[in-house]
Amino acid sequence: MSDAFTTRELDVATGSRERVVDLTGDCEDFLREAAAGRDGLLNIFVPHATAGIAVLETGAGSDDDLLAALHTLLPADDRWQHRHGSPGHGRDHVLPAFVPPHATLPVIEGRLALGTWQSVCLVDTNRDNLLRKVRLTFLGGS
């Protein structure tokens, strides 16, 4: 396979609480090697039924605001038909319909073309999974 398509898998420890984990640094590290200054696309994918990828501001409260909004929209109570795991776990399986399990972002001259305050984040509301896989794939031009 050519170097136009490169994939790396990350292990991300999310612990036993709901989290928004900033992956921007991991994406940039991957692109330094995989993109090598080229233009292309970075796809970020989480192969789990209860987690998602979001592009948002972090560190100024937006990550906590996202979790609060998800609590309002998807409460962790007994309304869900999917009932195994922690109480309210069924809502974790609905999460990817609102926070998709993927994002595809532009890469220009080997760097993510994000806005000033944008970060790439893993959103994980499932307290039953302590470790997540995240696949980073760079598709580069020649």
Side-chain angles (χ1 to χ4, degrees):
M1 183 183 311
S2 76
D3 64 350
F5 184 87
T6 307
T7 297
R8 176 177 297 158
E9 191 170 81
L10 306 174
D11 290 319
V12 180
T14 55
S16 60
R17 64 184 177 93
E18 298 177 357
R19 303 236 355 241
V20 174
V21 180
D22 190 338
L23 301 174
T24 310
D26 295 303
C27 292
E28 291 170 344
D29 290 346
F30 170 67
L31 288 172
R32 268 192 284 288
E33 180 182 321
R38 295 176 295 154
D39 293 350
L41 296 171
L42 175 66
N43 180 265
I44 304 100
F45 177 71
V46 55
H48 298 282
T50 59
I53 299 295
V55 177
L56 74 154
E57 179 180 5
T58 59
S62 296
D63 35 357
D64 291 332
D65 289 342
L66 174 59
L67 291 175
L70 291 171
H71 272 272
T72 300
L73 186 62
L74 304 170
D77 58 21
D78 64 355
R79 74 182 68 201
W80 307 101
Q81 305 238 354
H82 188 109
R83 293 186 187 269
H84 78 273
S86 298
H89 174 65
R91 65 112 182 204
D92 299 327
H93 287 273
V94 177
L95 173 77
F98 295 92
V99 181
H102 58 85
T104 301
L105 304 171
V107 175
I108 299 172
E109 296 179 354
R111 298 181 50 90
L112 272 176
L114 293 172
T116 302
W117 303 111
Q118 289 180 315
S119 297
V120 179
C121 298
L122 170 67
V123 179
D124 187 3
T125 59
N126 182 353
R127 297 172 304 203
D128 296 336
N129 281 4
L130 307 181
L131 183 67
R132 297 300 189 152
K133 300 280 187 195
V134 177
R135 289 191 189 118
L136 304 178
T137 302
F138 175 70
L139 178 60
S142 44

